[in-house]
Amino acid sequence: MLAAELLRRAEDAQAVYIRDLAELVGIDSGSLDPEGVNRVGEVVAGRLAELGFAVERRASADPRYGDTVIGRRRGAGVARIMLFAHLDTVFEPGDAAARPFSIDDVGHAHGPGVTDDKAGVVAALHAAGHLIGVGAERYGELVLAFTPDEEIGSPAGGPVLQELAAGVDAAFSLECARENGDLVVGRKGVADLELVVHGVAAHSGIEPERGAHAALEAAHLTVFLQALADPAEQLTVNVGVLRSGERTNIVPDRATMHVEMRATRTAVIEGALVALRERAAGPLVDGTRVEVRVVDQCAPLEETEAGRELGELALQLARELGFEPGLARTGGVSDANRVAALGVPTLDGLGPVGGGDHSPSEWLDLASVPPRVALLAALVDASAARLLP
């Protein structure tokens, strides 16, 4: 069986996987460190070329970000399949030297970005290599995309990823599996908002009645926003930052609020935004005025019939490989949200198993690598086979 052969190859290549992972973890590649991100990209581009992919480095117009690395390889079929991961981490220059790649006594690898997402980057390369090695290229085109800035919302990589994903038949995100091994079929979308309340300053002791208290209106808005949260609709709302005033004897004439909304369905977020704008149009404090600005908005990875079919296919293949993950939903956002928003069937969490993301304790279970790499490769082949004549 193909799955068994892919697993055998992944097991035989485990030492190479660890070597490749250690090389990437040893390179600092914070999102705002374009030189470091591009060093990782150079390694990845070289590996893609060795595998026979046509390689493109898409530079960002903004010098703060690194390049998106793209590999394309033609196959014998018709389906377009895309794998994607990200080259950047949340860590600072010098962290790779301070916390170099290591393996502990229980077989967990450690180091900056070891799980999020350098394990996923290497998994994509190895899965593609194993498919090529066994001659299982039933896809029409296999696209591997590696973005430079996922950890800060993909301002440069996101548009490129969406351009590449247009018309793709199936897409697989190489974020790590959940700590319990589950794959991800749903992610919340998010809207980041800035609210500015304009008031009128006045002396708070002599003539407060001449003022319009911006902070008081912001307080009323905070109560309103927190009450918008709706567990039944899986809508969360958080007023994370509220600032107003500079002196205790002045009625504040300005307040700023930074707010986050998350939900599993785009319609729910849009409904919450409508409710907020209606409330902002009618301030409770006389003389105040409220501006609402959407700073950033990312659609959910919504559960769809096509997405669930990919998930069920993955579960079937995993059973053939000897393990049984589940299908999870999470509140975190990834690049998978952007791809799924195009209507592309998308499955996330296909990297190896790890945890402690964004912390010095980040870990990767190396024992999970061969079966997860084999699953990814088998899933690419099985997805492509469904569209064969």
Side-chain angles (χ1 to χ4, degrees), residues 60-111:
S60 168
D62 190 326
R64 292 177 298 171
Y65 311 123
D67 300 346
T68 300
V69 179
I70 305 158
R72 294 182 174 90
R73 183 177 171 90
R74 295 295 307 171
V78 295
R80 293 187 67 234
I81 310 293
M82 185 168 78
L83 312 182
F84 56 100
H86 60 91
L87 306 171
D88 62 318
T89 74
V90 299
F91 299 102
E92 299 296 326
D95 280 0
R99 294 188 290 106
F101 180 85
S102 64
I103 302 174
D104 64 23
D105 293 341
V106 297
H108 287 178
H110 299 272

Side-chain angles (χ1 to χ4, degrees), residues 55-332:
V55 181
E56 178 186 359
R57 298 277 297 269
R58 190 81 63 88
S60 168
D62 190 326
R64 292 177 298 171
Y65 311 123
D67 300 346
T68 300
V69 179
I70 305 158
R72 294 182 174 90
R73 183 177 171 90
R74 295 295 307 171
V78 295
R80 293 187 67 234
I81 310 293
M82 185 168 78
L83 312 182
F84 56 100
H86 60 91
L87 306 171
D88 62 318
T89 74
V90 299
F91 299 102
E92 299 296 326
D95 280 0
R99 294 188 290 106
F101 180 85
S102 64
I103 302 174
D104 64 23
D105 293 341
V106 297
H108 287 178
H110 299 272
V114 67
T115 290
D116 189 15
D117 186 28
K118 291 180 177 180
V121 171
V122 181
L125 295 169
H126 276 240
H130 298 326
L131 285 170
I132 294 166
V134 299
E137 296 190 83
R138 295 194 285 179
Y139 46 79
E141 183 181 41
L142 181 60
V143 180
L144 272 60
F146 303 93
T147 54
D149 52 358
E150 188 271 348
E151 296 291 6
I152 55 173
S154 298
V160 177
L161 193 62
Q162 289 190 307
E163 174 192 325
L164 295 170
V168 162
D169 296 295
F172 302 110
S173 171
L174 274 297
E175 294 288 341
C176 63
R178 303 300 88 184
E179 290 190 23
N180 65 356
D182 285 353
L183 308 176
V184 178
V185 292
R187 287 182 178 273
K188 286 186 174 182
V190 60
D192 291 323
L193 315 173
E194 182 183 57
L195 278 62
V196 179
V197 182
H198 300 276
V200 178
H203 193 295
S204 63
I206 298 174
E207 48 187 11
E209 70 280 358
R210 292 193 175 186
H213 207 298
L216 180 57
E217 178 61 25
H220 284 300
L221 281 166
T222 298
V223 174
F224 171 83
L225 282 161
Q226 296 298 143
L228 272 181
D230 186 349
E233 292 286 2
Q234 300 184 60
L235 170 67
T236 59
V237 182
N238 184 53
V239 180
V241 179
L242 194 163
R243 296 189 180 96
S244 183
E246 296 180 1
R247 297 179 61 177
T248 58
N249 62 349
I250 300 176
V251 173
D253 64 353
R254 181 183 173 90
T256 58
M257 307 168 64
H258 295 275
V259 181
E260 177 193 83
M261 294 178 175
R262 293 184 186 241
T264 56
R265 294 189 297 121
T266 298
V268 173
I269 293 179
E270 293 298 333
L273 288 173
V274 168
L276 170 58
R277 290 190 174 102
E278 289 176 350
R279 166 61 182 82
L284 299 184
V285 176
D286 289 343
T288 60
R289 176 173 57 86
V290 182
E291 293 181 53
V292 178
R293 183 169 72 93
V294 178
V295 178
D296 189 28
Q297 188 167 356
C298 183
L301 167 53
E302 294 196 35
E303 287 190 59
T304 63
E305 181 178 352
R308 282 191 295 272
E309 287 178 359
L310 279 185
E312 292 300 327
L313 178 60
L315 296 186
Q316 175 188 332
L317 293 168
R319 285 191 290 270
E320 293 179 20
L321 291 164
F323 66 104
E324 295 195 24
L327 299 178
R329 294 85 185 160
T330 180

